[in-house]
Amino acid sequence: MKKLKTLTRTGVLSGLTILAMSSTAMAQTVVDFYYPIQVGGPLATVIEGYVAQFEAANPDINVVPVYSGNYQDTTTKALTAAKSGNPPAVAVLLATDIFTLIDEDVIEPIDNLFAADDQAWVDGFMPAYLASAIVDEHLWAVPFQRSTAVLYWNKDAFKEAGLDPEKYPTTWDEMVAYGKAVTTKDEAGNAKRWGVGIPGNPGSAQWLFTALAAQNGARLMNDAGTEVYLTDPTVIEALEFWRDLSTVEGIHPPGIQEWGTTPSDFLEGRIAMIWTTTGNLTNIRTNATFDFGVAPYPGHPNSASALGGGNLYVFKDASDEQKAAALKFIKFLTSDEIQADWSIHTGYVAPRDGAWETEALKAYVAEVPAADVARKQISTSVPEFSTYENARTTKALNDAIAAALTGGKTPEQALTDAQAEIERILRPYN
Amino acid sequence: MKLSRNALYGSLLLLPAAVLLWTFTYQPILTTIINSLFSTPRGRRSAEFVGLDNYDVMINDPVFWKAMSNNAIYAVTTIPLSMALALGMALLVNSKLRGQSLVRMAFFTPTVLPMVAVANIWLFFYAPDYGLIDQFLRPFGLAGNNLLGTPDTALWALIVITVWKEAGFFMIFYLAALQQISPTLLEAARLEGASPMQILRRVTLPLLMPTTLFVSINAVIGAFRLVDHVISMTKGGPDNATTLLLFYIYQTGFSFWDTSYAAALTVVLLAILALIALFQFGYADKKVHYR
């Protein structure tokens, strides 16, 4: 019994100590910062370095960085925390989550926190990036780690097939023609090397299909995130083209091409041209045993791409001090120097023109010209497929793409079904 | 009525377990059932009582029925296959064999690997053209298989992984049971002139029945519980070919944020598991000899 008393006493005492310690920290504003890691490399260390740098300049703010898994895990964690009344002050979440977050009523428009001179800072972002952060004339997020997908091509395979290794395809027709030239088969008629690979698994399909449709001059949804246009002839034509690469032209592997194995397919020489993110550049540069190039997407007739990646969001239920501190931290993270550094570490495409003017990024582009391809593609990029109830509508679109690519339905039938299902899902928002 | 001292002590000793059971099992079950009768709260719209609406939606939801049929196929294939394989492996490593411990370890290895790691290894086994399986089939002119990217084969590809992973785990239980069998019984059978096949059928297998029951319960739970490889390999695709019930619940709850519909789906899963458990403990238990 005596032992128990001592135990309780120590318990109470240590509890008091913790309270005392936290009250000394109370002088600082604590900013919880949730972030995901989606590409390779020791990025947690890089983020922590930025936080330390920011805290040194702002001793009254204590940023607590919390690594939260991939994008979906981070969204799940942030939403769960917000619903239980204890949200992070700031988080990096998918740009496409914007409608979900508005609908759940958990984020604060950034312009509500502005001081007088902040509009000039916003104007420094490239307009293509801001497009996916503005809804109902409010700015709900700040571009942070944005990526775009590009075409990687195997120059040695081109040379072998008698093509000019420096000339990449600029139109769909050229891509098919080059693809046919580089596709090789063994005696049994099995393909040894395919012409082109476009990942079509859930999670990637909607991103690459947004780009394919844009190349055909089509839009998948409206800016308000309440309507989709999947039965538009130009959209159906884009899906038919994707399916025909395999079934008619015979230059694309059958079935669904996996996002995860696509870089290795390219490195093994199994596919001569792949569509994948700029985030894979470092991996492919390190491991390629052949000469390769990076090109903007082809077009029909005009090149276009879709922007992916994450934005910085501020949560509504944080205190006013925390929101002010969060905005300060966001401005620091999106400053030209930090964005240039982040771009070099990750392959993400810096969203401010000023970042590309820094010495560091200029030197990097001189060394790796491929990094500049993505930047040039930004002006012709459209926002990724995104609506209210985004996870559900994206699944409907991805199921349709999978059904068309695997021959379960015709592209027209698959997209008609998806359009009907998405209209049903979006009915409460119209 | 006076409470006896023993009863008091007994209930006090049971209290911690009862509290934990209530907090982590019964209360969540009740909350889930209640939530399934309300609409999902969103931002400014609070939850409203909708009765059986969520269940009505479920009956008309093609993805739910697809998940159910997938899960049925998955259960009736993985359970008997992994159990039969486990028994076979246990009999093999129980006999006098050179390098016995090495073989045991090899059979058990898949079990200790985390499912996510396993899924990533198999992703490359299944990769078309340069994957291990396609390399093996190439000489027979059967190359170019995209097993995970084709709706007809994707579920079977996951079934193979599950059997490969589960069998080693069940083998351990069978091996322990085999070592428990008294040698005198086997000697007696041999003296009577029983053939090895007869010994297996008449002596070994009946004595293994309690273990078989235990393993089968584990296997059934596993068939509804294991979805890590679906998440890391196919995300339920292509076109819902590999959507299992628990994966669909996860997707509905944590990517669509439709928590009340996810609760309704969970109630269905609970009902299925409860029925199976009732059958196993109520009926199959009585059929097992040698308790």
Side-chain angles (χ1 to χ4, degrees), chain A residues 144 155 243 288 306 310 324 335 363 399 405:
Chain A
F144 173 60
K155 289 183 181 174
R243 179 202 57 184
S335 62
D399 287 349
L405 293 179

Side-chain angles (χ1 to χ4, degrees), chain A residues 72-73 75-76 79-80 83 100 102-105 186 188 190-192 194 202 254-258 260-261 264-265 268 270 316 389 391-392 395 399-400 402-403 406 409 429, chain B residues 41-45 63 123-124 127-130 138 141-144 146 148-151 233-240 243 248 250-252 254-259 261:
Chain A
Q72 202 193 329
D73 299 340
T75 303
T76 304
L79 268 176
T80 312
K83 284 177 181 217
T100 305
I102 292 173
D103 198 32
E104 294 281 4
D105 200 24
D186 62 12
N190 295 315
K192 282 206 322 217
W194 296 99
I256 305 277
Q257 172 69 29
E258 259 303 314
T261 56
S264 2
D265 286 338
E268 298 266 349
R270 180 181 163 246
K316 195 177 183 160
E389 292 278 355
R392 211 166 239 178
K395 177 174 158 47
D399 287 349
T406 54
K409 293 174 184 172
Y429 300 91
Chain B
R42 293 250 189 226
R44 303 177 197 109
R45 295 187 302 267
V63 181
L123 211 51
F124 284 89
D129 295 336
Y130 62 85
R138 185 173 287 274
L142 298 166
N146 189 347
L148 285 170
T150 312
M233 291 176 89
T234 62
K235 301 244 179 346
D239 197 12
N240 297 313
T243 299
Y248 191 46
Y250 172 80
Q251 203 176 33
T252 308
F254 296 104
S255 21
F256 305 161
W257 292 98
D258 191 347
T259 43
Y261 187 49

